[in-house]
Structures are given as structure tokens and as C-alpha cells.
Amino acid sequence: MKKALVCGAGGFIGSHLVKRLKAEGFWVRGVDLKYPRFSQTPADDFIVGDLRDLAVCHEAVDTRFDEVYQLAADMGGAGYIFTGENDASVMHNSAQINLNILEACRRRNSFRIFYSSSACIYPEYRQLEAENAGLAESDAYPAAPDSEYGWEKLFSERLYAAYARNHGFEARVARYHNIFGPEGAWNDGKEKAPAAICRKVAQAGNPGEIEIWGDGEQTRSFLYIDECLEGTIRFMRSDWAGPVNIGSEEMVSINRLAAIAAEIAGKTITPRHVPGPLGVRGRNSNNKLIFEKLGWRPSQSLASGIAKTYAWIDQQVQKTQRPKDAPKPVVRQREIVAAE
């Protein structure tokens, strides 16, 4: 039986990845600061521990793994990344995790490793207009990300490439473009635009009004979680290192995203534009390279993914009406406490 390690297995993408790998027959260990928030993990083993602590990383990588997926990072949506208040934590925490995991894997001969970078590494000067033709992988340099989060991701891309050159790692680096879907953050300040919009629409009356930061004409592309997992696994098992975009080319404005969610909800929603952190003006994925190398491109429409995500978030909104003292399921897994 093949073995996989998923770092960040308590998070949105990581928890879905664990389910996918288990369905493929892998023995899976997950590690994170916390268990998944919305469902019990199917991981064979789950370590609750802080990957900023090298001892926890050595405990997690106590044997050779066939596949290691490094998704753990300090991150969130625009309200977390672009205010400037979390810059030091974002850079320190994520860089420390990557340094630790690579060293732990090197010592245990676990050399096939996937690293989830981000579209935030792309230069701000290529994203100043709402109409964005798509960011190709070669557009990364000259480097000028618009956030410290993007700078840390770019540093870590080079870190993985250096370990590949010097230590024989089979590193795979992918740049995720706004992954969304059920069981993601939706109300904790770290949610991204699709979840935030779905939550606002679900909470609004009919007719109703929702807040949108800025004029709403800023553009993005969003990729549904199932597509993300398919692209990730195909790339991980290829003989190509990347970096590569894993995203959708279906770019929309935030106003249009809100309209799609309203249509799905069957509500008449009026946007109210307010000041807020915005990030770049326009961002879209260019998928030419991943199709050339892997013969794959996303197939689901944005609307189909939003429909599934809205249905799940609407259920969460309804649950907030339940008593706070309702019993919660008990999860029995082993824990490792990080050193102070």
C-alpha cells in the first residue's frame, strides 16, 4: 500500500485531498494545527501539531512516504492578506513550515513532494487592468508581487527548486488560482470571495442588499475544489516539475460573481459598494502550459461550482440558528503539542 503525507490536512484543500487519496487506496497521514472544521478526517493517522516546530515535522515524517503534499500555510482572503496587519506572521510562519518540512523529508528519503504556491506570486504590474488575458508561468519575473504573502510564496518556490537541484528532490510546484468549494472557510475572516459572496447572499433577504468591496469590477478566476485535486494529482505523478498554473480561465468580475450567486439562490440582490482591501485589479489563469504538458484543463463551469458551494454555505447559515450548546462529534486521534 502506498503512503502519502498531507501537510495542512485540517484545511480546506488538504482535507479534500485526504479524502481523494483514501479513495485511491493510499495509507494517509495528515498533520495540521487542527482537525478539519466541517467533517471528520478519514486519514489513517492525524497529528495535531505545529509544523513551525521541527520536532513535529520529524514526528510527521518518521518514515518514507511515496507522496508528500505540502499545503500548510498562514493565509486567508483579501481581508487577511491585504490589510498589512498580518504580514510578519504570514511570511515567518509559512517560510518556517517549508524549511522544516523539506529538511524532515530529506532525512527520511521522502523526495517526491508537491508544494502549493499561489497566483499571488505574479507581478502587480501585470494585473493593473480588469481585462486580464491570463497570467502565464513565464510572467513571474521580474518579480513584483502585490503582497508579502506573494513574496513568501515566491521565495518558497525557489527553496523547493534549490532542494531539487542540491538534494535530488522530485519537487512539483503549482500556482493555485482561487480554489473554492464546500467545507471551506466562510465566516471566520479568512474566507475568499466565492465563500464570502455566497454567505452574504444566503444571509440577505429577498429582495436584499449585500456589501461588495470597491466598485466590484475587479476580476478574478475561481477553480472548484474537485478540479484542483484532479490537476494536482495529475501533476504530482507526472515527470515534470513546473511551476504550473492550476486555475480556471473563466474570469469574472466580483459584481458578476455576486449576480451568479443571487441567481442560484433565487433572490433579487442589490450590491452596495463599500471601501475595503482589494488586491490587484485583474487576475486570470493561463492554462496553455498545463494542457501542453499534461493534456488536462478544467471542465466545470464557475456556475456549477458556485451552485454546490452556495447550497453548502446556505446550510451552514441555517445551522447558526441552532443552540450553541448542541453536542459535537468526538474525534479520537493522537496529538503532538508544539514546543513553546
Side-chain angles (χ1 to χ4, degrees):
M1 180 181 292
K2 289 188 175 181
K3 294 187 293 186
L5 172 67
V6 178
C7 303
F12 166 51
I13 300 175
S15 61
H16 281 275
L17 179 58
V18 169
K19 294 174 185 176
R20 170 68 183 260
L21 291 169
K22 283 301 302 174
E24 292 185 358
F26 275 73
W27 185 95
V28 181
R29 172 178 289 161
V31 57
D32 207 322
L33 284 169
K34 63 188 186 317
Y35 298 113
R37 180 179 173 189
F38 302 108
S39 62
Q40 186 168 339
T41 178
D44 298 277
D45 185 35
F46 196 109
I47 297 173
V48 174
D50 190 339
L51 291 170
R52 294 172 299 178
D53 184 341
L54 185 56
V56 173
C57 293
H58 286 317
E59 182 69 21
V61 192
D62 64 356
T63 186
R64 181 184 179 278
F65 287 92
D66 297 284
E67 297 179 357
V68 176
Y69 295 87
Q70 200 324 70
L71 311 175
D74 189 346
M75 55 84 67
Y80 185 76
I81 294 298
F82 296 117
T83 64
E85 298 174 359
N86 306 298
D87 287 350
S89 294
V90 164
M91 297 191 81
H92 172 273
N93 294 341
S94 296
Q96 190 66 66
I97 290 168
N98 287 313
L99 289 163
N100 286 350
I101 284 295
L102 282 166
E103 270 302 285
C105 287
R106 183 180 67 83
R107 296 183 185 187
R108 284 294 184 178
N109 195 32
S110 292
F111 284 179
R112 180 169 285 263
I113 185 166
F114 171 90
Y115 172 59
S116 59
S117 185
S118 167
C120 290
I121 66 96
Y122 286 111
E124 184 176 17
Y125 60 76
R126 293 191 179 275
Q127 303 172 82
L128 298 177
E129 303 296 332
E131 291 300 320
N132 190 301
L135 296 161
E137 290 78 359
S138 59
D139 290 334
Y141 295 93
D146 71 330
S147 67
E148 304 307 326
Y149 173 77
W151 278 110
E152 186 283 321
K153 286 291 188 182
L154 195 59
F155 161 77
S156 290
E157 283 193 10
R158 300 187 71 89
L159 177 67
Y160 280 80
Y163 266 71
R165 287 194 307 272
N166 296 159
H167 299 302
F169 273 64
E170 295 182 77
R172 303 288 181 264
V173 175
R175 296 166 181 166
Y176 284 163
H177 286 248
N178 296 305
I179 313 305
F180 76 98
E183 298 189 10
W186 65 278
N187 67 342
D188 62 0
K190 289 191 173 185
E191 63 271 20
K192 295 188 177 182
I197 292 294
C198 287
R199 183 196 74 240
K200 291 176 182 181
V201 171
Q203 292 173 333
N206 188 21
E209 181 182 79
I210 66 170
E211 288 188 352
I212 291 179
W213 291 342
D215 63 6
E217 292 304 310
Q218 61 271 31
T219 56
R220 297 292 186 275
S221 62
F222 303 97
L223 184 68
Y224 189 64
I225 182 62
D226 290 353
E227 300 274 25
C228 172
L229 298 181
E230 184 65 27
T232 294
I233 288 174
R234 286 181 183 234
F235 175 47
M236 176 62 150
R237 295 170 189 168
S238 74
D239 59 2
W240 175 54
V244 67
N245 290 327
I246 294 183
S248 169
E249 293 181 324
E250 186 181 353
M251 187 176 69
V252 296
S253 69
I254 301 302
N255 285 333
R256 177 56 188 154
L257 179 66
I260 292 172
E263 291 167 9
I264 289 166
K267 293 183 177 183
T268 300
I269 298 294
T270 301
R272 179 163 59 89
H273 298 103
V274 299
L278 302 177
V280 296
R281 186 61 172 170
R283 174 177 293 156
N284 193 16
S285 179
N286 180 319
N287 292 342
K288 181 180 179 181
L289 185 59
I290 195 168
F291 185 71
E292 287 179 353
K293 295 291 187 178
L294 305 182
W296 176 85
R297 61 165 58 100
S299 59
Q300 292 191 44
S301 68
L302 174 62
S304 68
I306 292 295
K308 288 176 272 193
T309 304
Y310 180 83
W312 180 82
I313 288 179
D314 186 50
Q315 290 177 348
Q316 305 311 303
V317 170
Q318 300 306 317
K319 288 179 183 178
T320 61
Q321 308 303 318
R322 296 180 181 177
K324 293 184 178 180
D325 58 354
K328 297 179 180 180
V330 176
V331 178
R332 299 188 182 279
Q333 302 277 8
R334 65 190 181 93
E335 297 193 1
I336 292 179
V337 180
E340 292 295 336

